[in-house]
Amino acid sequence: MFYYDNKLQYEVRVDTPDPRFARLLQQAIGGVEGEIRVCLQYLFQAFGARGPAKYRNMLMSTGTEEIGHIEMLATAVALNLEGASGADKDAAATANPVVAALMGGMDPRQYLSAGMAALAGDANGVPFNGSHVYASGNLAADMYANVTAEATGRALACRLFECTDDPGMKDMLRFLIARDTMHQQQWLAVIEELGGHKGTLPIPNSFPVEEELRKVSYDYFFTGVAGVDVPSGRWTSGESLDGLGQFRLNAVQPMGEEPKLAPPMPQAYAEKQQMEGADD
């Protein structure tokens, strides 16, 4: 069951409405780095959570918090679409070269489809796609996915911060950036609680490692041609992060033969030349 409060999670104030910034804010709502993505990701991870209840409860709480972030951003979009004069918009672009370079105009669908309101889509008007919602049922895998989601979301919020001079919008973004900071920490804290890298890797750690082809489990395969610098680093020598092996550098060589497929079957209607020359 979900409950709601009519008040926003944090104040949303727009001092100088700008429809073009409203379009950029759409990325933070329905983009691959946006709040719809993390909201659904955390909720679906919670819905399918098995094991200690505290992890399900944490995911549910944070997923619900993200609903509040969507509401904040949708409110910011609506306020930016209200009452901006042409002079205000031109002045905003002139004063900030980043804004001038990025903002070509508001998304017409914000008016045509939503009546001057936010859409469940990104800054190009592409509807949100749930294919970027990751809920694997493996707690460690999901935590690493969540850290990535929060990192890219925080990068987006920082870039949006550079695209506005509106004091109210900067204040809202400072809040969202701070929450991304916390969320990165909490997902990493779960990984630490599970034993850190040595406790969680390889994921899933429930598969018997002896069933792997262990001779290549910690080899870095370098596939560059002669003359390309070998990218040696932490991943090419020393103890593996799971503590179960040693990293090695391996200039990869073929371990299999050239593939040989059967001739085209007549019912597939390949060209006659393909069928006649199948053995060449």
Side-chain angles (χ1 to χ4, degrees):
M1 180 177 288
F2 292 88
Y3 299 90
Y4 73 93
D5 190 312
N6 285 330
K7 296 179 180 178
L8 292 170
Q9 185 178 147
Y10 187 79
E11 180 185 20
V12 176
R13 186 183 81 251
V14 176
D15 298 325
T16 305
D18 190 336
R20 292 166 299 183
F21 190 60
R23 179 174 183 173
L24 297 190
L25 286 173
Q26 283 290 159
Q27 194 68 19
I29 295 175
V32 295
E33 317 93 333
E35 302 288 353
I36 293 179
R37 183 264 183 96
V38 291
C39 171
L40 292 179
Q41 183 156 306
Y42 304 158
L43 290 178
F44 273 87
Q45 288 175 8
F47 296 155
R50 303 176 189 275
K54 66 177 181 178
Y55 298 121
R56 180 183 189 277
N57 293 340
M58 181 183 67
L59 286 161
M60 286 291 289
S61 180
T62 306
T64 305
E65 178 188 350
E66 301 293 3
I67 298 175
H69 294 177
I70 298 168
E71 182 186 19
M72 288 169 57
L73 287 162
T75 302
V77 167
L79 292 176
N80 271 289
L81 292 172
E82 293 178 4
S85 69
D88 288 338
K89 292 181 286 185
D90 292 342
T94 301
N96 189 329
V98 176
V99 175
L102 292 178
M103 293 183 177
M106 67 174 284
D107 184 344
R109 287 197 59 233
Q110 290 173 330
Y111 165 64
L112 296 173
S113 301
M116 305 299 280
L119 300 160
D122 67 14
N124 289 324
V126 179
F128 175 75
N129 187 322
S131 63
H132 288 285
V133 172
Y134 304 128
S136 70
N138 180 293
L139 185 60
D142 287 345
M143 292 301 108
Y144 280 110
N146 293 351
V147 172
T148 300
E150 291 289 345
T152 54
R154 191 172 189 274
L156 171 63
C158 293
R159 291 165 185 163
L160 287 169
F161 188 86
E162 294 297 324
C163 292
T164 181
D165 292 320
D166 186 277
M169 289 291 87
K170 282 188 173 293
D171 184 53
M172 178 194 74
L173 289 166
R174 287 188 181 98
F175 172 82
L176 293 174
I177 290 167
R179 296 310 299 154
D180 289 340
T181 297
M182 172 55 193
H183 294 160
Q184 289 180 33
Q185 304 297 310
Q186 73 182 61
W187 307 135
L188 288 168
V190 173
I191 293 170
E192 182 179 280
E193 193 169 87
L194 296 175
H197 294 313
K198 289 189 177 182
T200 58
L201 297 177
I203 297 171
N205 61 9
S206 53
F207 183 82
V209 293
E210 61 271 15
E211 292 294 337
E212 294 182 23
L213 186 62
R214 294 295 286 169
K215 69 178 184 178
V216 296
S217 292
Y218 304 104
D219 283 11
Y220 171 71
F221 284 166
F222 176 62
T223 57
V225 297
V228 176
D229 290 339
V230 178
S232 60
R234 173 68 182 88
W235 58 93
T236 59
S237 64
E239 185 183 45
S240 60
L241 296 179
D242 57 19
L244 301 178
Q246 294 287 318
F247 289 133
R248 293 183 300 265
L249 176 64
N250 187 336
V252 66
Q253 296 292 324
M255 290 182 277
E257 302 298 328
E258 180 182 354
K260 296 291 185 181
L261 303 182
M265 56 187 295
Q267 297 88 342
Y269 292 99
E271 291 297 285
K272 290 186 293 183
Q273 295 89 333
Q274 287 177 260
M275 298 182 187
E276 294 167 357
D279 295 326
D280 294 343

